mmCIF file of all heavy atoms in Angstrom:
data_model
loop_
_atom_site.group_PDB
_atom_site.id
_atom_site.type_symbol
_atom_site.label_atom_id
_atom_site.label_comp_id
_atom_site.label_asym_id
_atom_site.label_seq_id
_atom_site.Cartn_x
_atom_site.Cartn_y
_atom_site.Cartn_z
ATOM 1 N N SER K 1 14.231 2.555 -4.222
ATOM 2 C CA SER K 1 13.759 1.348 -4.922
ATOM 3 C C SER K 1 14.807 0.802 -5.875
ATOM 4 O O SER K 1 14.736 -0.362 -6.284
ATOM 5 C CB SER K 1 12.472 1.650 -5.699
ATOM 6 O OG SER K 1 12.732 2.498 -6.802
ATOM 7 N N ASP K 2 15.790 1.635 -6.226
ATOM 8 C CA ASP K 2 16.849 1.199 -7.131
ATOM 9 C C ASP K 2 17.993 0.510 -6.383
ATOM 10 O O ASP K 2 18.951 0.061 -7.005
ATOM 11 C CB ASP K 2 17.388 2.400 -7.919
ATOM 12 C CG ASP K 2 18.133 1.979 -9.178
ATOM 13 O OD1 ASP K 2 17.612 1.107 -9.902
ATOM 14 O OD2 ASP K 2 19.231 2.521 -9.442
ATOM 15 N N MET K 3 17.894 0.454 -5.062
ATOM 16 C CA MET K 3 18.886 -0.239 -4.235
ATOM 17 C C MET K 3 18.285 -1.540 -3.730
ATOM 18 O O MET K 3 17.077 -1.606 -3.460
ATOM 19 C CB MET K 3 19.295 0.631 -3.046
ATOM 20 C CG MET K 3 19.787 2.019 -3.427
ATOM 21 S SD MET K 3 20.122 3.025 -1.962
ATOM 22 C CE MET K 3 20.330 4.652 -2.707
ATOM 23 N N ARG K 4 19.078 -2.541 -3.575
ATOM 24 C CA ARG K 4 18.558 -3.851 -3.206
ATOM 25 C C ARG K 4 17.826 -3.805 -1.870
ATOM 26 O O ARG K 4 16.710 -4.305 -1.747
ATOM 27 C CB ARG K 4 19.707 -4.867 -3.152
ATOM 28 C CG ARG K 4 19.241 -6.280 -2.793
ATOM 29 C CD ARG K 4 20.392 -7.259 -2.803
ATOM 30 N NE ARG K 4 20.991 -7.375 -4.134
ATOM 31 C CZ ARG K 4 22.038 -8.141 -4.414
ATOM 32 N NH1 ARG K 4 22.624 -8.845 -3.450
ATOM 33 N NH2 ARG K 4 22.514 -8.207 -5.643
ATOM 34 N N TRP K 5 18.449 -3.202 -0.862
ATOM 35 C CA TRP K 5 17.825 -3.145 0.463
ATOM 36 C C TRP K 5 16.550 -2.291 0.435
ATOM 37 O O TRP K 5 15.549 -2.635 1.067
ATOM 38 C CB TRP K 5 18.791 -2.581 1.496
ATOM 39 C CG TRP K 5 19.212 -1.154 1.244
ATOM 40 C CD1 TRP K 5 20.276 -0.716 0.537
ATOM 41 C CD2 TRP K 5 18.517 0.016 1.680
ATOM 42 N NE1 TRP K 5 20.323 0.656 0.493
ATOM 43 C CE2 TRP K 5 19.263 1.137 1.199
ATOM 44 C CE3 TRP K 5 17.369 0.250 2.429
ATOM 45 C CZ2 TRP K 5 18.867 2.452 1.444
ATOM 46 C CZ3 TRP K 5 16.982 1.564 2.672
ATOM 47 C CH2 TRP K 5 17.725 2.647 2.181
ATOM 48 N N GLY K 6 16.597 -1.183 -0.303
ATOM 49 C CA GLY K 6 15.443 -0.308 -0.380
ATOM 50 C C GLY K 6 14.292 -0.963 -1.105
ATOM 51 O O GLY K 6 13.129 -0.853 -0.689
ATOM 52 N N ASN K 7 14.582 -1.656 -2.194
ATOM 53 C CA ASN K 7 13.549 -2.340 -2.954
ATOM 54 C C ASN K 7 12.873 -3.414 -2.119
ATOM 55 O O ASN K 7 11.654 -3.591 -2.180
ATOM 56 C CB ASN K 7 14.153 -2.945 -4.224
ATOM 57 C CG ASN K 7 13.089 -3.452 -5.183
ATOM 58 O OD1 ASN K 7 12.565 -4.539 -5.023
ATOM 59 N ND2 ASN K 7 12.773 -2.628 -6.171
ATOM 60 N N LYS K 8 13.666 -4.107 -1.310
ATOM 61 C CA LYS K 8 13.121 -5.178 -0.463
ATOM 62 C C LYS K 8 12.155 -4.611 0.572
ATOM 63 O O LYS K 8 11.083 -5.175 0.825
ATOM 64 C CB LYS K 8 14.265 -5.924 0.222
ATOM 65 C CG LYS K 8 13.819 -7.150 1.009
ATOM 66 C CD LYS K 8 15.011 -7.906 1.554
ATOM 67 C CE LYS K 8 14.561 -9.154 2.302
ATOM 68 N NZ LYS K 8 15.719 -9.921 2.840
ATOM 69 N N ILE K 9 12.522 -3.487 1.179
ATOM 70 C CA ILE K 9 11.661 -2.865 2.199
ATOM 71 C C ILE K 9 10.406 -2.285 1.569
ATOM 72 O O ILE K 9 9.289 -2.485 2.056
ATOM 73 C CB ILE K 9 12.442 -1.772 2.959
ATOM 74 C CG1 ILE K 9 13.582 -2.393 3.777
ATOM 75 C CG2 ILE K 9 11.500 -0.977 3.873
ATOM 76 C CD1 ILE K 9 14.513 -1.369 4.392
ATOM 77 N N LEU K 10 10.566 -1.565 0.473
ATOM 78 C CA LEU K 10 9.448 -0.847 -0.133
ATOM 79 C C LEU K 10 8.500 -1.757 -0.898
ATOM 80 O O LEU K 10 7.360 -1.369 -1.169
ATOM 81 C CB LEU K 10 9.985 0.239 -1.073
ATOM 82 C CG LEU K 10 10.742 1.387 -0.421
ATOM 83 C CD1 LEU K 10 11.384 2.271 -1.483
ATOM 84 C CD2 LEU K 10 9.815 2.219 0.461
ATOM 85 N N SER K 11 8.947 -2.953 -1.254
ATOM 86 C CA SER K 11 8.116 -3.840 -2.077
ATOM 87 C C SER K 11 6.817 -4.234 -1.381
ATOM 88 O O SER K 11 5.828 -4.550 -2.056
ATOM 89 C CB SER K 11 8.901 -5.095 -2.466
ATOM 90 O OG SER K 11 9.277 -5.832 -1.312
ATOM 91 N N ILE K 12 6.793 -4.213 -0.049
ATOM 92 C CA ILE K 12 5.561 -4.591 0.657
ATOM 93 C C ILE K 12 4.447 -3.573 0.413
ATOM 94 O O ILE K 12 3.263 -3.885 0.570
ATOM 95 C CB ILE K 12 5.787 -4.757 2.175
ATOM 96 C CG1 ILE K 12 6.193 -3.428 2.820
ATOM 97 C CG2 ILE K 12 6.809 -5.845 2.452
ATOM 98 C CD1 ILE K 12 6.190 -3.465 4.338
ATOM 99 N N PHE K 13 4.817 -2.333 0.025
ATOM 100 C CA PHE K 13 3.815 -1.299 -0.218
ATOM 101 C C PHE K 13 3.272 -1.349 -1.644
ATOM 102 O O PHE K 13 2.257 -0.707 -1.934
ATOM 103 C CB PHE K 13 4.403 0.085 0.046
ATOM 104 C CG PHE K 13 4.916 0.276 1.445
ATOM 105 C CD1 PHE K 13 6.275 0.319 1.705
ATOM 106 C CD2 PHE K 13 4.035 0.414 2.501
ATOM 107 C CE1 PHE K 13 6.742 0.495 2.995
ATOM 108 C CE2 PHE K 13 4.484 0.590 3.792
ATOM 109 C CZ PHE K 13 5.850 0.627 4.046
ATOM 110 N N ALA K 14 3.944 -2.084 -2.526
ATOM 111 C CA ALA K 14 3.546 -2.095 -3.936
ATOM 112 C C ALA K 14 2.151 -2.676 -4.119
ATOM 113 O O ALA K 14 1.364 -2.175 -4.931
ATOM 114 C CB ALA K 14 4.564 -2.883 -4.759
ATOM 115 N N ALA K 15 1.811 -3.734 -3.364
ATOM 116 C CA ALA K 15 0.486 -4.340 -3.492
ATOM 117 C C ALA K 15 -0.607 -3.355 -3.079
ATOM 118 O O ALA K 15 -1.676 -3.316 -3.685
ATOM 119 C CB ALA K 15 0.404 -5.614 -2.654
ATOM 120 N N VAL K 16 -0.344 -2.556 -2.037
ATOM 121 C CA VAL K 16 -1.307 -1.523 -1.622
ATOM 122 C C VAL K 16 -1.504 -0.524 -2.753
ATOM 123 O O VAL K 16 -2.625 -0.085 -3.030
ATOM 124 C CB VAL K 16 -0.822 -0.795 -0.352
ATOM 125 C CG1 VAL K 16 -1.828 0.261 0.077
ATOM 126 C CG2 VAL K 16 -0.582 -1.784 0.783
ATOM 127 N N GLY K 17 -0.416 -0.173 -3.434
ATOM 128 C CA GLY K 17 -0.490 0.770 -4.540
ATOM 129 C C GLY K 17 -1.211 0.217 -5.747
ATOM 130 O O GLY K 17 -1.881 0.968 -6.469
ATOM 131 N N LYS K 18 -1.091 -1.082 -5.995
ATOM 132 C CA LYS K 18 -1.766 -1.687 -7.142
ATOM 133 C C LYS K 18 -3.282 -1.651 -6.998
ATOM 134 O O LYS K 18 -4.003 -1.687 -7.988
ATOM 135 C CB LYS K 18 -1.299 -3.132 -7.334
ATOM 136 C CG LYS K 18 0.139 -3.247 -7.833
ATOM 137 C CD LYS K 18 0.572 -4.701 -7.913
ATOM 138 C CE LYS K 18 2.014 -4.811 -8.391
ATOM 139 N NZ LYS K 18 2.493 -6.214 -8.427
ATOM 140 N N MET K 19 -3.748 -1.633 -5.762
ATOM 141 C CA MET K 19 -5.190 -1.545 -5.513
ATOM 142 C C MET K 19 -5.483 -0.322 -4.639
ATOM 143 O O MET K 19 -6.246 -0.384 -3.681
ATOM 144 C CB MET K 19 -5.710 -2.838 -4.883
ATOM 145 C CG MET K 19 -4.899 -3.386 -3.737
ATOM 146 S SD MET K 19 -5.406 -5.054 -3.244
ATOM 147 C CE MET K 19 -7.100 -4.793 -2.716
ATOM 148 N N SER K 20 -4.858 0.813 -5.011
ATOM 149 C CA SER K 20 -4.946 2.026 -4.202
ATOM 150 C C SER K 20 -6.369 2.579 -4.132
ATOM 151 O O SER K 20 -6.787 3.105 -3.086
ATOM 152 C CB SER K 20 -4.001 3.092 -4.743
ATOM 153 O OG SER K 20 -4.251 3.362 -6.108
ATOM 154 N N LEU K 21 -7.139 2.490 -5.207
ATOM 155 C CA LEU K 21 -8.511 2.996 -5.191
ATOM 156 C C LEU K 21 -9.366 2.196 -4.213
ATOM 157 O O LEU K 21 -10.126 2.772 -3.415
ATOM 158 C CB LEU K 21 -9.105 2.946 -6.599
ATOM 159 C CG LEU K 21 -10.529 3.473 -6.769
ATOM 160 C CD1 LEU K 21 -10.650 4.909 -6.282
ATOM 161 C CD2 LEU K 21 -10.982 3.358 -8.226
ATOM 162 N N THR K 22 -9.231 0.889 -4.252
ATOM 163 C CA THR K 22 -9.956 0.037 -3.310
ATOM 164 C C THR K 22 -9.564 0.366 -1.881
ATOM 165 O O THR K 22 -10.430 0.521 -1.004
ATOM 166 C CB THR K 22 -9.673 -1.450 -3.602
ATOM 167 O OG1 THR K 22 -10.180 -1.784 -4.889
ATOM 168 C CG2 THR K 22 -10.311 -2.348 -2.565
ATOM 169 N N ASN K 23 -8.271 0.470 -1.617
ATOM 170 C CA ASN K 23 -7.805 0.745 -0.252
ATOM 171 C C ASN K 23 -8.254 2.118 0.230
ATOM 172 O O ASN K 23 -8.629 2.278 1.396
ATOM 173 C CB ASN K 23 -6.281 0.629 -0.192
ATOM 174 C CG ASN K 23 -5.816 -0.805 -0.131
ATOM 175 O OD1 ASN K 23 -6.342 -1.605 0.634
ATOM 176 N ND2 ASN K 23 -4.832 -1.153 -0.943
ATOM 177 N N TYR K 24 -8.228 3.103 -0.647
ATOM 178 C CA TYR K 24 -8.678 4.452 -0.285
ATOM 179 C C TYR K 24 -10.152 4.432 0.128
ATOM 180 O O TYR K 24 -10.535 4.991 1.166
ATOM 181 C CB TYR K 24 -8.464 5.397 -1.461
ATOM 182 C CG TYR K 24 -9.115 6.738 -1.307
ATOM 183 C CD1 TYR K 24 -8.635 7.670 -0.393
ATOM 184 C CD2 TYR K 24 -10.228 7.089 -2.077
ATOM 185 C CE1 TYR K 24 -9.253 8.909 -0.249
ATOM 186 C CE2 TYR K 24 -10.838 8.313 -1.942
ATOM 187 C CZ TYR K 24 -10.351 9.221 -1.031
ATOM 188 O OH TYR K 24 -10.969 10.444 -0.887
ATOM 189 N N LEU K 25 -10.995 3.767 -0.666
ATOM 190 C CA LEU K 25 -12.423 3.716 -0.363
ATOM 191 C C LEU K 25 -12.710 2.903 0.892
ATOM 192 O O LEU K 25 -13.573 3.281 1.702
ATOM 193 C CB LEU K 25 -13.191 3.137 -1.558
ATOM 194 C CG LEU K 25 -13.173 3.990 -2.834
ATOM 195 C CD1 LEU K 25 -13.820 3.240 -3.986
ATOM 196 C CD2 LEU K 25 -13.885 5.324 -2.612
ATOM 197 N N PHE K 26 -11.969 1.824 1.079
ATOM 198 C CA PHE K 26 -12.220 0.992 2.255
ATOM 199 C C PHE K 26 -11.761 1.665 3.545
ATOM 200 O O PHE K 26 -12.312 1.395 4.607
ATOM 201 C CB PHE K 26 -11.580 -0.392 2.086
ATOM 202 C CG PHE K 26 -12.510 -1.383 1.442
ATOM 203 C CD1 PHE K 26 -12.639 -1.444 0.064
ATOM 204 C CD2 PHE K 26 -13.288 -2.224 2.201
ATOM 205 C CE1 PHE K 26 -13.516 -2.323 -0.537
ATOM 206 C CE2 PHE K 26 -14.163 -3.124 1.623
ATOM 207 C CZ PHE K 26 -14.281 -3.175 0.243
ATOM 208 N N GLN K 27 -10.789 2.548 3.479
ATOM 209 C CA GLN K 27 -10.447 3.347 4.656
ATOM 210 C C GLN K 27 -11.648 4.171 5.103
ATOM 211 O O GLN K 27 -11.935 4.271 6.303
ATOM 212 C CB GLN K 27 -9.255 4.255 4.347
ATOM 213 C CG GLN K 27 -7.925 3.529 4.270
ATOM 214 C CD GLN K 27 -6.797 4.422 3.782
ATOM 215 O OE1 GLN K 27 -7.000 5.586 3.454
ATOM 216 N NE2 GLN K 27 -5.586 3.887 3.723
ATOM 217 N N SER K 28 -12.346 4.752 4.150
ATOM 218 C CA SER K 28 -13.536 5.541 4.467
ATOM 219 C C SER K 28 -14.644 4.668 5.042
ATOM 220 O O SER K 28 -15.316 5.046 6.008
ATOM 221 C CB SER K 28 -14.043 6.265 3.222
ATOM 222 O OG SER K 28 -13.098 7.185 2.746
ATOM 223 N N ILE K 29 -14.842 3.494 4.451
ATOM 224 C CA ILE K 29 -15.905 2.598 4.919
ATOM 225 C C ILE K 29 -15.621 2.139 6.342
ATOM 226 O O ILE K 29 -16.501 2.197 7.227
ATOM 227 C CB ILE K 29 -16.050 1.388 3.975
ATOM 228 C CG1 ILE K 29 -16.597 1.849 2.612
ATOM 229 C CG2 ILE K 29 -16.969 0.327 4.579
ATOM 230 C CD1 ILE K 29 -16.564 0.784 1.538
ATOM 231 N N TRP K 30 -14.395 1.699 6.600
ATOM 232 C CA TRP K 30 -14.050 1.231 7.939
ATOM 233 C C TRP K 30 -14.197 2.339 8.975
ATOM 234 O O TRP K 30 -14.749 2.125 10.049
ATOM 235 C CB TRP K 30 -12.612 0.699 7.954
ATOM 236 C CG TRP K 30 -12.431 -0.593 7.219
ATOM 237 C CD1 TRP K 30 -13.411 -1.398 6.710
ATOM 238 C CD2 TRP K 30 -11.199 -1.233 6.899
ATOM 239 N NE1 TRP K 30 -12.859 -2.493 6.092
ATOM 240 C CE2 TRP K 30 -11.507 -2.422 6.202
ATOM 241 C CE3 TRP K 30 -9.863 -0.917 7.133
ATOM 242 C CZ2 TRP K 30 -10.531 -3.295 5.737
ATOM 243 C CZ3 TRP K 30 -8.886 -1.799 6.670
ATOM 244 C CH2 TRP K 30 -9.211 -2.959 5.987
ATOM 245 N N CYS K 31 -13.699 3.528 8.643
ATOM 246 C CA CYS K 31 -13.696 4.605 9.632
ATOM 247 C C CYS K 31 -15.091 5.158 9.890
ATOM 248 O O CYS K 31 -15.426 5.468 11.039
ATOM 249 C CB CYS K 31 -12.752 5.724 9.181
ATOM 250 S SG CYS K 31 -11.011 5.289 9.372
ATOM 251 N N THR K 32 -15.907 5.293 8.860
ATOM 252 C CA THR K 32 -17.261 5.783 9.116
ATOM 253 C C THR K 32 -18.078 4.759 9.910
ATOM 254 O O THR K 32 -18.921 5.142 10.725
ATOM 255 C CB THR K 32 -17.983 6.133 7.799
ATOM 256 O OG1 THR K 32 -17.890 5.028 6.880
ATOM 257 C CG2 THR K 32 -17.361 7.375 7.166
ATOM 258 N N LEU K 33 -17.816 3.485 9.707
ATOM 259 C CA LEU K 33 -18.478 2.470 10.534
ATOM 260 C C LEU K 33 -18.012 2.556 11.984
ATOM 261 O O LEU K 33 -18.793 2.340 12.915
ATOM 262 C CB LEU K 33 -18.206 1.065 9.978
ATOM 263 C CG LEU K 33 -18.975 0.674 8.713
ATOM 264 C CD1 LEU K 33 -18.514 -0.680 8.202
ATOM 265 C CD2 LEU K 33 -20.483 0.657 8.974
#
């Protein structure tokens, strides 16, 4: 993340991390359905 190319690639995952609790719970909801 401290390298320009690495930060650019990894930045797409940051939004998932900002709402990690929501995403974790929705994985369970989708899969059990």
Side-chain angles (χ1 to χ4, degrees):
S1 70
D2 199 45
M3 306 175 191
R4 181 178 297 178
W5 63 269
N7 190 279
K8 186 175 182 180
I9 294 172
L10 294 172
S11 62
I12 64 170
F13 301 107
V16 180
K18 289 176 181 178
M19 47 190 298
S20 56
L21 181 56
T22 296
N23 281 314
Y24 169 71
L25 294 173
F26 270 84
Q27 286 172 358
S28 297
I29 292 170
W30 289 351
C31 286
T32 51
L33 285 175

